[in-house]
Amino acid sequence: MQRVATIAVLVDNEAGVLARVIGLFSGRGYNIDSLTVAPVDESGKLSRITVVTSGTDMVIEQIKAQLDRLVPVHKVSDLTLEGPHVTRELALIKVIGRGENRVEALRLADAFRARVVDATTESFVFEMTGNAEKIDAFCALMKPLGLTEVCRTGAVAMARGTRHMSA
Amino acid sequence: MSATHHEASTQPDLRPGAEIVLRALKDQGVEVIFGYPGGAVLPIYDALYQQNAIRHILVRHEQAAVHAAEGYARSTGKVGVVLVTSGPGATNAVTGLVDALMDSIPIVCLTGQVPTHLIGNDAFQEADTTGITRPATKHNYLVKRSEDLARVIHEAFYVARSGRPGPVLIDLPKDILIKPAPYMEPPPPEVPHRSYRPQIVPDREQIRRAVQLLKAARRPIVYSGGGVINSGPQASELLTEFVRLTGFPCTNTLMGLGAFPASDPQFLGMLGMHGTYEANMAMWQCDVMFNIGARFDDRVTGRLDAFSPHSRKIHADIDPSSINKNVKVDVPIVGDAKHVLAAMIEAWREDPTPPQKEALVSWWRQIDEWRSIRCLAYRQEGPIIKPQHAVKRLFEITRETGRDVIISTEVGQHQMWAAQYFGFEKPNRWLTSGGLGTMGYGLPAAMGAQIAHPHALCIDVAGEASILMNIQEMSTLAQYRLPVKVFILNNEYMGMVRQWQELLHGGRYSESYSAALPDFVKLAESFHAKGLRARTVDQLDDVIREMIAHDGPVIADICVAKEENCFPMIPSGAAHNEMILGPDQEKNAAAVTDEGKVLV
């Protein structure tokens, strides 16, 4: 049975660590649906990687075990398995158009709570955060209205409630 | 922490990076390194020249440096150390690193690198060594500050030997080796690493469950692998104790040979593709399997969906990623083999449940029936030497000498024959490239073992094709007067390739004939070694005796039957109960399907 897993990985923020993680996925033929990474503590010594992957339970258990044995990896957490969690993604969406389309794009953006972060007389750049489905839906609506460019961060995720992840 | 630290002046003691490297190696207990110099590592070679604590063995190719370090590591349990230069020095070492990774051998490989300000400029002898070796090592480092050298080297040794051992590479830019910095002593062992802390001691509850399963077993088997060897000689003693305590049959993987005495009546021999009939049939029919330190490799399991279909499986491994990777198991145990085995023995004794004595008796009766097929029987008839007979005589004659014998092999038929016909009573005496299957492994590995054990009888059982892949190391043997013996089973074919072509590809021997071979006797002589040859069976024993008696390196060219196949064999894509036996056994063969042909 295939499943999607959102995995959070706490790693040393050092050269090559991302290459190690990505190399692990490509070398062993695992899927990466999305991957984000940035330093997360004040001293800049730790980074958190959020990777969304899919596979059978056996493969996902393998992925976690393989990640966990990398030397710079401190913690691996399967958010999907461990309980409720929030997932967010940020997207920048450029829509070019005039007249009625432009008005409609702005109206829909408002309904989706997308923010206008850049505007010219014939274009908008919308900023939107949400889960992947919401962004997908918004992009689908923008398509006939002049959608020309999309940039997405991929998911970041965190457990709900008091459960937390630390080194 | 030494007291001298406190009484020193505020200015810390600075020394050039290269000296820090050697000091760190020395503090890690390194006595010997295998290497080859070049521009980027000249500062280290200069520092080596000015000290006596560490011995350097000059190999003739960087791949051989790693294999030699592997031989050293496998035969001693210590970390093997390699020193090579940047660019081609590092890329030549890659095969050895992957070999060590696959077989879990602790290696620290120091590579030179162009100075930091030239990195990325396509400088002379520059290669992205950490990039290239990332998937070839357990871990690797690029040191960018001399201040980090000592810490990184100490950490590298810790990573190489801890948990599931493996190769660790440290890339050393030349300017880092020159710039002075303070030295840092190894951290005390009780200080935990910030992130890498493998589980050594097994979970008691899992041990209890495992013992429960084994007590109730009617057809049990113990299947042990290289993890028992890596855990140290104590683990092999505990394995032997556990197997004798339980009365269970025991089989070893290729990597695990020597962990359980081959002469023991409870030993079923090696299992897997060229394992014994009894070992594979017992694996197929068992009802409880206890895997300790093996990883359900495809050479062992055969077709996965038909692997040991009736059994509940216990798998103890120090590497959690090895568990449930290929085969789903019922009781996973994470821990070091010696701790797991000690806990198993204790739990077995404490558990009041009696084992299934009667069932065990009939299980052994079944096993003896399988044994009676005598799957390793061969007929030595006529003057032509059968390769099996050559290995068997080598085993018997070396055993008569009473000397400590260490066997290495290259890769192919001769390797399997050595595994089948040479009995190993103790661990760390069997050096073979199991996971990667690297031709050219055996000679440098024997060399490394000989350095560590000057009085042992180190023999590379080789094929005439494999030996040519690192033949240049004959020169190293001569330089250091290493009395390594090279025992070539010369059938003038890449025998295993030819065998597969015979069995799977209609006998079309595409490129598998060893044409234009050198005269190995003259070749030995040109490398200041002794050359011997046996053409007929009546010459075999004399050649083996002369080889052993000679106090120096020898190549013994044993001309063997050219088209002998290695049996038993589980064809690729077949199951354990579908073994092909040799022509001297009556049981019959499974056909190889197209699906099987895809597999290697």
Side-chain angles (χ1 to χ4, degrees), chain A residues 19-69:
Chain A
R20 269 178 227 289
V21 170
I22 292 172
L24 174 69
F25 276 77
S26 64
R28 294 185 181 265
Y30 306 142
N31 300 314
I32 299 180
D33 296 340
S34 83
L35 187 145
T36 68
V37 58
V40 287
D41 68 334
E42 319 82 73
S43 57
K45 283 192 174 143
L46 289 174
S47 287
R48 179 157 161 155
I49 296 173
T50 310
V51 54
V52 180
T53 182
S54 53
T56 61
D57 279 333
M58 204 159 157
V59 165
I60 287 170
E61 288 307 311
Q62 256 301 296
I63 291 173
K64 290 188 287 185
Q66 293 287 353
L67 284 169
D68 205 28
R69 71 179 192 153

Side-chain angles (χ1 to χ4, degrees), chain A residues 12 14 16 19-20 58 62 65-66 69 71-74, chain B residues 134 139-140 159 164 193-196 319 321 324-326:
Chain A
D12 280 333
E14 62 180 27
R20 269 178 227 289
M58 204 159 157
Q62 256 301 296
Q66 293 287 353
R69 71 179 192 153
V71 171
V73 169
H74 289 257
Chain B
R134 206 169 282 126
H139 193 55
N140 64 15
V159 171
R164 178 177 176 178
H193 187 266
R194 65 187 185 286
S195 56
Y196 186 67
D319 176 10
S321 77
N324 288 329
K325 181 174 67 180
N326 304 329

Side-chain angles (χ1 to χ4, degrees), chain B residues 461-578:
Chain B
V461 176
E464 84 292 335
S466 279
I467 190 64
L468 290 177
M469 284 214 188
N470 266 321
I471 193 70
Q472 76 287 343
E473 297 309 314
M474 289 302 296
S475 179
T476 312
L477 295 186
Q479 181 178 346
Y480 297 97
R481 300 175 197 280
L482 299 172
V484 168
K485 320 299 181 198
V486 181
F487 189 74
I488 302 176
L489 301 180
N490 185 346
N491 57 9
E492 296 181 25
Y493 276 109
M494 294 156 212
M496 196 57 95
V497 173
R498 192 208 57 75
Q499 175 169 342
W500 281 51
Q501 288 172 336
E502 179 189 327
L503 298 176
L504 277 79
H505 297 278
R508 292 177 293 278
Y509 296 152
S510 180
E511 303 292 329
S512 55
Y513 181 65
S514 293
L517 282 172
D519 177 333
F520 283 107
V521 172
K522 284 188 186 156
L523 183 136
E525 284 161 1
S526 74
F527 276 116
H528 320 287
K530 191 179 188 73
L532 298 168
R533 180 172 292 123
R535 287 186 191 283
T536 52
V537 73
D538 55 309
Q539 299 167 346
L540 179 64
D541 285 11
D542 290 342
V543 164
I544 293 173
R545 291 209 163 85
E546 200 178 341
M547 174 184 91
I548 295 170
H550 180 69
D551 182 24
V554 179
I555 292 180
D557 183 19
I558 313 296
C559 308
V560 297
K562 293 196 198 314
E563 300 198 348
E564 188 70 15
N565 285 330
C566 184
F567 291 120
M569 177 179 182
I570 301 176
S572 37
H576 278 170
N577 61 335
E578 302 170 323

